[in-house]
Amino acid sequence: MKVAYVQMKPVFLEPELNYSKAEELIREAADKEAKLIVLPELFDTGYNFRSREEVEEVAGQIPDGPTTEFLVELAKELEVFIVAGTAEKDEKGNLYNSAVVVGPVGWGYIGKYRKVHLFNREKLFFKPGNLGFHVFNIGIAKVGVMICFDWFFPESARTLALKGADIIAHPSNLVMPYAPRAMPIRALENRVYTITANRIGEEFGLRFIGKSTIASPKAEVLAMGSEDKEEVGVVEIDLSLARDKRINEMNDIFKDRRPQYYTL
């Protein structure tokens, strides 16, 4: 199957403009036959909020809010699966940095993930995710989801891999330089594909590094974006490689685990 990242520069607090921008890039990826397309963290709202009121202004419910509805309609039309980061407001008014998973006709809204590891000032506005790490079976593949700073904790990717993920979708707004180097290692140590969809641009002094990355279970960088351009990266992947956890005839990365020695 072919998979893709969308790298874009969201307009701060302008969801409608961001829908238009994202649609153009999603269509480009679909034209290149990508079946799974990953968008950045908070693709629809921008990131560097200055107050809770700003988040509440643009956060929506999942799946009944405008962002999920936009993504579902586009996924149905283009016959693709999409993973995208968005600001969520639940029925009690709690705010979460979330990702939504949607698919074509017969799938629609599939599920959501709420970011477990909040970064820096996100803690001022969002509650930590409370749904755990989940793998979504989209038929052609099993897709785990984590968001941005989750990468810093190896347990995130390992948990998704142990739950059966072939691919880890990783919507991001990266500002530190490390993830483009680290994600191929996350892919290697778990024998999965990783798709990091990052944003570009600057918001109130915070610069985002771009370099969206697709990595293979052999730590190969299959695609990497620029630091400053809106673009899509599309590659073909071999899912059988992600489903084979053997390093050689004697070693299997999961069967060789010895968790009784991993406790403190």
Side-chain angles (χ1 to χ4, degrees):
M1 65 179 291
K2 288 187 177 181
V3 300
Y5 62 71
V6 165
Q7 180 168 288
M8 58 181 281
K9 181 182 179 181
V11 181
F12 189 65
L13 300 184
E14 293 288 350
E16 293 297 330
L17 291 178
N18 294 323
Y19 297 159
S20 177
K21 187 188 298 276
E23 179 175 349
E24 179 181 342
L25 293 165
I26 291 169
R27 289 186 181 278
E28 180 181 341
D31 286 344
K32 295 178 179 178
E33 301 182 336
K35 287 301 179 186
L36 172 64
I37 302 169
V38 184
L39 274 65
E41 175 185 20
L42 299 172
F43 88 95
D44 53 342
T45 63
Y47 176 83
N48 198 14
F49 300 107
R50 295 160 295 182
S51 67
R52 181 181 175 87
E53 288 71 27
E54 285 184 335
V55 188
E56 290 179 335
E57 177 185 336
V58 291
Q61 291 193 339
I62 300 174
D64 298 325
T67 293
T68 307
E69 291 173 355
F70 158 74
L71 292 169
V72 165
E73 290 305 310
L74 196 57
K76 287 180 178 178
E77 177 190 344
L78 299 176
E79 298 184 350
V80 297
F81 293 91
I82 301 172
V83 180
T86 185
E88 178 191 3
K89 181 189 294 183
D90 73 7
E91 62 281 357
K92 297 180 180 179
N94 297 312
L95 299 173
Y96 296 95
N97 185 339
S98 296
V100 62
V101 184
V102 302
V105 173
W107 293 86
Y109 169 72
I110 296 171
K112 65 184 175 185
Y113 163 72
R114 291 170 173 167
K115 187 175 183 179
V116 168
H117 303 101
L118 298 177
F119 180 72
N120 203 358
R121 295 182 68 252
E122 292 173 35
K123 294 184 176 184
L124 300 178
F125 314 119
F126 296 111
K127 283 187 170 294
N130 56 4
L131 302 179
F133 292 100
H134 189 68
V135 174
F136 302 91
N137 188 341
I138 63 170
I140 51 178
K142 294 181 179 179
V143 181
V145 181
M146 63 186 197
I147 297 176
C148 203
F149 192 50
D150 284 331
W151 79 264
F152 210 92
F153 301 83
E155 298 89 348
S156 306
R158 175 50 56 92
T159 300
L160 291 169
L162 289 172
K163 289 185 172 184
D166 304 312
I167 303 165
I168 294 177
H170 184 215
S172 295
N173 277 188
L174 300 166
V175 294
M176 298 190 294
Y178 314 113
R181 299 196 303 270
M183 288 308 294
I185 303 304
R186 293 286 173 271
L188 172 67
E189 62 198 10
N190 293 292
R191 297 281 289 189
V192 296
Y193 287 94
T194 61
I195 308 170
T196 298
N198 196 30
R199 64 160 290 175
I200 59 168
E202 185 172 323
E203 283 178 359
F204 311 114
L206 196 61
R207 189 182 74 84
F208 304 91
I209 68 168
K211 292 188 175 181
S212 297
T213 305
I214 302 176
S216 83
K218 295 183 177 180
E220 302 158 315
V221 175
L222 303 178
M224 179 174 284
S226 66
E227 295 183 21
D228 57 2
K229 292 182 176 62
E230 294 187 309
E231 58 194 278
V232 300
V234 180
V235 301
E236 187 164 1
I237 64 173
D238 178 3
L239 290 172
S240 67
L241 186 60
R243 292 167 183 169
D244 183 1
K245 304 301 182 181
R246 295 172 298 175
I247 303 297
N248 53 50
E249 291 183 0
M250 303 291 288
N251 292 110
D252 180 297
I253 65 164
F254 285 174
K255 291 179 181 177
D256 286 355
R257 293 178 70 249
R258 302 187 71 192
Q260 68 269 34
Y261 295 111
Y262 304 157
T263 57
L264 296 178

